[in-house]
Each structure stands twice: as structure tokens, then as C-alpha cells.
Amino acid sequence: MNRGIYKPRDYQQNSIGQVRAACSQGKKTILVLPTGGGKTKTAVYGIVQKAISKGAPVVWLAHRVELIGQADADLLSAGVRTGIIRGSTKPDPSALCQVASIQTLCNRLDKLPPAKVVVIDECHHVRSATYMSVVQRYQQTGAIIVGLTATPERLDGKGLGDVFDTIVETVTVRELIESGHLADYEYFAPSLPDLTGVKKTAGDFHRGGAAAAMDKPTITGNLVRHYQKHLGGRRALVFAAGVDHSKKLVAAFDLAGIAAAHLDAKTPEAERRETLAKFGAGDIQVVSNVDLFDEGFDVPACQGVVIARPTQSFVKHRQMIGRCLRVKADGSRAIILDHAGNFLRHGMPDDITEWSLDDKAKTPTETPSYKQCPQCFAVLAIQDRACHCCGYVFTRVPRSGPEFQDGTLEKVKQKRWTTSEKRDLYRTLMAKARASGYMPGWAKRQYRNKTKVWPKGFVDEIDRASFRLCKHRKMSQATGRCKHCGDYCGPGGLEKSYN
């Protein structure tokens, strides 16, 4: 089969280069790209095609039927002949690339297909016993291990360092939005629902308790009404707290004349495919689901999400809201309606996250970092006693929890930086770095934390001006270079660097 034609984007090409470099050093590597950033295509065209062209067998591991189907489709479109290893599916052992269900391979440990390269889709699940039983076998053979995920983190805080050695992340959500590869968004949210008394199971809210808390007419905002107000007939995914809860929501949408359908993990495959085909064609406006679309599932037709499931999982939160961030044909913004108050626990879609392979200490998450002013709806730090925008003074919330009434979702406002503001910010940070004796990288990291993108476009100009003003007070006797300016100073200094 002829190789498919696809030109990786710049950030994908950068990711491919870094992953290959890490693998050449024998490092087991995680490729992190935001939801919608094209992890599968990056791995297919940058890793799998390369291995196949050299005659190296590849095994692609996934834990869901939909993920297996999507990977297989992308591989075939790239000209890679595949075999499927899953249940009763007819195998093709002669294919160099095998797309395999991890559950099936776990039951066939003595018959694992050969692999020089193993790709693990949604690799944040790799610490499970099912995955470890298979991956350890391949590790013993010296296979190259590459993981794919948007969120290399687990709810239980266990790191992925037992399997992987390094993380490659080359682009942020905000950078993808600004470059036109992801849709910008509008985020609407009420206060937290009353989860008093809802127990936790394995670190997250108990399914039945969360469903009972959300399945009340007095919870702030009515999902159907706010769908009509903010999405107005556009296609949306609803994330429900439980199966019964999801079916009730679908009934409410139907009653309002909005075509809706329910799907969950037990829905027959044929029905799933038919429902999603109708959703893609616009015959169904709303698909409510439970634990089906919250990771690694492509639904390009999705124009908005309605979050009706509270969660303590940062990963689940990011995966749910990421479903609607793919670029829309009409250029419209994605709409996120958060009826569960998850943003108060986990932040916004484009917040910067520093990933680590180490175990993470569990920290209480009961107290949110933000709250909303009920008068002007500004988002404030939780400790603020008065709103800095309108002067509203907060009163103490009774220990038993607030009383909720129907209300209106309001947009969560975020700072949007103009080019001029970015330039001024970077110049100010560089001046502070120079005055404090910090390395230039400090200013760049601070800039990224504030704007959610790396500085570019004006960096050389401001760096040149800043370094020319350096007093060289921290010269290294060993290298003859300024400890502050690094490569820009020393013998020949600026002239050598810029001429």
C-alpha cells in the first residue's frame, strides 16, 4: 500500500524530532499534546511509518473499542497495513503493525505479537495491572516504548516513572489556539453544586452520590435552557453523572424539542456508530454520555460541551472540556457550560500545567482556588472578602452548605493579551531579571505562566537591548562569561552573538 500524504505541523515535527532523539538514547518516552493537537497522527506519521519502513514490527495498544478503530483508520490512511487483535476479530498476523486491545493481550501473554516499537495510547492508564502485565513483557525484549496522552497524570497521584523516563511536550493549549489549530472558547459556570455528604471512591466522587446531587431541579441553571441560550441548536456533548441521570437529561432535551440521544459503555457498537453518524450529520443536536467520550475520542462535529458531572480528577476535567476545542468549520468559538463547578477545582482549559513522572502527594481538593462574585460574576481568589471589581462584600457560607436556586450561567472572563501588552510584559520581566541577576530563562518562564504561551516575535530585539545594559557583575572565572547573560557575554560578547 502506498504511504499516505500528510505534512505534520511545525509543533508535530518538533515533537517527532524530540521523541526520536529520546528513543535513540534508550529512553521510554511520553509524547504529550493537548486534546485536539493530533497525537495519533503525530505518532503514526513520525514514529510508526519510520519503524515500518525499516521492517520493524509495531504494536499499538489501546483500551477502548473506539480508540482501536480510530488508530486503525489513521494508520490505514497513512498507508500502513494493520492487523487487529481484539476479541473475535479476525487477526492478520502477517501485518507488521498490530493494533491491539490491552484486555485481549493480557489474556494472551504467552502469544504476544513481536514488537520493536510499542505505542501506548492514553498512556496515563499504564500503571494498571492489565497494562503492566503486557508492557513489562515488551520491556524485557528491549522494545522502544512510546506513550501518548494529553494528561500524563493519575487521580491516585502515582507517577508514570516506573514505565517512562522522559516527557516530550512542545506546545500549549493557548499556543494551539493562537496558531489556529484549536478553537478559542467561552466558559460559563455557576457556583459549585452542593456535594455535601457525597462520598468518594478511589479519590473521585461516588457515582451514585454525584448523580443524586446533580439530579435536582434546584441546582443552579437549567441545562436545557442554558443550552438553548448559549448553543442554540448547535451540536453538543453532555457529560452526565450516571446512566439514569443521562437518560433523564435526554428526556428533558426531547421534551423541549431538541433531538438528543444517550450513549454509555454498554450501548451496542452498531447503535453507537449510528448515533454518532446522525450527530455528525446534524440530525441529533445533543448526545449525552457516561464515561464514553471523556478521553481519546474524536467527535469533530462537537461545538460545545455541557458538564453535568462533578469530578475530583484533573485529567477527566481536561479530557471532557477538550472534546469541543477542535477548530469549527464556521470559525466559531467552543462553548463550555460547566454546571458541575469543575473549573473551581481544576481551572481553565488553557492553564499551564507542569507535568512530572514522579509520584504526587495527595492534597485536599475540597476548597476551590477561585470563586465568583454573585454581583458582577468576576472570578476571585477564594480568600478575598470583597470583590475588587464592584466592591461586593462576601458573607460567610453556612457550614451546612448554600441553598441553591435556578440561576443564570455567566461567562468566566480571562485576560486576552494584545501584542503590545505582551511586548511590554516581556520587556518588564527582562528588566527585572537583569536587575535581580536572574538568567534570561526566568523571564521567559514567567511570561509563559502569565500569558500561557512562550514569548516570540520580539524576543531578539528585547534580549539584545537587555543584554547590552548588563553590568556583568557575576562573571565566571572558569568560563569568562557573565553568569547572568550566559551565551550573550564573555570575550567578544554581544558582537560575537549577534553579528
Side-chain angles (χ1 to χ4, degrees), residues 449-463:
N449 290 340
K450 286 180 176 293
T451 66
K452 303 180 182 179
V453 297
W454 289 107
K456 60 182 178 181
F458 43 75
V459 174
D460 286 348
E461 168 198 339
I462 295 176
D463 283 1

Side-chain angles (χ1 to χ4, degrees), residues 49-109:
Q49 271 193 348
K50 185 78 169 177
I52 296 296
S53 69
K54 294 182 176 181
V58 176
V59 171
W60 186 293
L61 299 177
H63 69 291
R64 285 188 175 177
V65 174
E66 290 80 11
L67 296 177
I68 292 171
Q70 286 178 185
D72 185 54
D74 280 339
L75 287 161
L76 289 174
S77 69
V80 177
R81 180 168 158 242
T82 62
I84 302 291
I85 302 176
R86 173 183 169 262
S88 59
T89 303
K90 185 178 180 179
D92 181 5
S94 65
L96 270 180
C97 181
Q98 298 291 327
V99 182
S101 160
I102 187 63
Q103 293 87 350
T104 300
L105 287 193
C106 185
N107 293 325
R108 303 178 186 178
L109 292 177

Side-chain angles (χ1 to χ4, degrees), residues 426-438 442-443 446 484:
Y426 185 62
R427 184 180 288 111
T428 300
L429 290 171
M430 285 302 301
K432 183 174 180 180
R434 186 178 65 247
S436 305
Y438 298 153
W442 175 88
Q446 293 299 313
H484 167 52

Side-chain angles (χ1 to χ4, degrees), residues 9 11 34-38 172-184 322 325-328:
R9 299 164 181 167
Y11 68 87
T35 301
T172 67
V173 172
R174 179 47 53 185
E175 286 170 330
L176 289 180
I177 290 173
E178 293 194 351
S179 63
H181 296 308
L182 287 181
D184 211 341
L325 293 182
R326 286 171 174 80
V327 176
K328 315 295 180 283

